[in-house]
Amino acid sequence: MSKMEAPYFGGKSLYSQGGYLTVQQNVGKDIDWYNVQFYNQGSSDYSTFATLFQSANGWAANTAVYQMINGNNDMKFWTFFLFFDNNAFGCIRGYKLIKQSVKIPAEMIVVGKPCTTGDVDNTGYVAPSTMESIFAQAVSNQNVIWNTGFMTWQFASDLDQNFQFANTVAQAF
């Protein structure tokens, strides 16, 4: 498990070494999931289904959930495929170079949101009922399968409200 802010998945246009896309490319197989902070990102507010799941707004372009899953980023690498003849000798029939981008598997993206307006410095708070609706849309999407779950910031704030945020949002799953 690893926790970080969504913009770290923005690639080399945001971070010269590629941020967490480089981590994913090099050791992603050793990471179980990412707790991704989708708040406190200024003009990238992640406050609607469109901006949280489809296409991030503001300065942190290409960091919405589906953009991470689909590899909509500037981290490109070449993959070399060899094709073999189906015979006893296994001769190489040909090869193909394919330019690919780094993708984050859907089952690795846990969406993090603040429980209250007091838990956020600038943007990203979404009311529990609206957050539940956003997650319900994501879970029911037949084109991109995502149902990994969510984390909250912070536990004490939700505890103070008898877990109103978590209990409401969990209904989407």
Side-chain angles (χ1 to χ4, degrees):
M1 184 270 301
S2 182
K3 180 193 178 289
M4 77 296 307
E5 299 171 7
Y8 288 131
F9 289 96
K12 291 183 178 181
S13 62
L14 296 177
Y15 298 96
S16 64
Q17 299 300 311
Y20 263 82
L21 293 178
T22 300
V23 172
Q24 176 64 25
Q25 184 176 2
N26 294 329
V27 296
K29 67 186 182 317
D30 297 324
I31 297 173
D32 293 323
W33 72 88
Y34 295 107
N35 286 331
V36 185
Q37 177 182 321
F38 287 97
Y39 56 94
N40 286 340
Q41 301 307 322
S43 62
S44 294
D45 62 9
Y46 308 104
S47 63
T48 66
F49 175 77
T51 59
L52 178 58
F53 278 91
Q54 295 174 320
S55 182
N57 62 344
W59 73 275
N62 299 318
T63 59
V65 174
Y66 296 160
Q67 291 175 306
M68 291 182 197
I69 293 168
N70 294 327
N72 297 355
N73 58 63
D74 61 3
M75 288 284 293
K76 307 297 183 206
F77 64 97
W78 290 97
T79 302
F80 185 76
F81 292 96
L82 287 176
F83 299 98
F84 295 93
D85 280 333
N86 201 9
N87 61 35
F89 300 108
C91 297
I92 296 174
R93 184 179 53 154
Y95 67 92
K96 187 176 192 179
L97 280 172
I98 298 177
K99 195 172 191 178
Q100 298 179 316
S101 59
V102 178
K103 297 179 180 182
I104 308 298
E107 64 274 9
M108 291 180 72
I109 303 172
V110 176
V111 173
K113 297 299 273 180
C115 293
T116 70
T117 56
D119 294 328
V120 64
D121 289 330
N122 49 56
T123 59
Y125 172 77
V126 178
S129 60
T130 303
M131 198 71 252
E132 186 271 335
S133 176
I134 290 170
F135 282 139
Q137 278 185 273
V139 170
S140 67
N141 185 342
Q142 298 300 309
N143 297 318
V144 181
I145 305 301
W146 174 90
N147 61 4
T148 309
F150 68 97
M151 64 159 208
T152 59
W153 181 260
Q154 50 187 333
F155 177 81
S157 298
D158 211 17
L159 176 64
D160 289 346
Q161 299 178 47
N162 294 318
F163 299 103
Q164 178 204 5
F165 188 91
N167 288 333
T168 301
V169 174
Q171 293 174 38
F173 298 89

